Amino acid sequence: MVGVTPGILEATGLRTLSYETALAYTRGITIDQLREGYSKTNTTPLGRPGKLTEVANTVAFLLSDRASYIHGVTLNIAGGKTRG
């Protein structure tokens, strides 16, 4: 079993007000604070948000036979950012 943990990603149509409201609530912050976090890509070592295709390509690799010996890990797909 393998997991992936995407970091800050490019904006998509999935970021609706209801999604942001729920996510901000679960984190105990305001929507404005949540949106401010999206713009802090300067805290990412690569200095930019991730692309959805970068996450998808990683998942496709993990599903392929080429990754058959990878097991029991979680891959952080976050441009080098680990926390905070």
Side-chain angles (χ1 to χ4, degrees), residues 1-5 58-59 61-63 67-77:
M1 182 172 296
V2 178
V4 295
T5 55
T58 302
V59 171
F61 168 74
L62 292 171
L63 291 170
S68 62
Y69 205 63
I70 299 173
H71 183 75
V73 297
T74 300
L75 295 179
N76 186 23
I77 309 170

Side-chain angles (χ1 to χ4, degrees), residues 8-84:
I8 297 172
L9 299 176
E10 63 191 350
T12 69
L14 299 175
R15 273 193 216 161
T16 62
L17 179 58
S18 59
Y19 169 79
E20 288 182 332
T21 301
L23 186 57
Y25 176 79
T26 61
R27 294 182 179 181
I29 60 176
T30 67
I31 293 175
D32 289 335
Q33 290 171 316
L34 178 74
R35 290 177 178 165
E36 183 180 305
Y38 286 142
S39 64
K40 288 185 178 180
T41 55
N42 62 339
T43 64
T44 302
L46 289 182
R48 64 172 179 83
K51 298 176 184 173
L52 295 177
T53 56
E54 292 170 318
V55 176
N57 290 339
T58 302
V59 171
F61 168 74
L62 292 171
L63 291 170
S64 76
D65 289 339
R66 291 181 177 190
S68 62
Y69 205 63
I70 299 173
H71 183 75
V73 297
T74 300
L75 295 179
N76 186 23
I77 309 170
K81 185 174 181 171
T82 56
R83 293 282 294 163

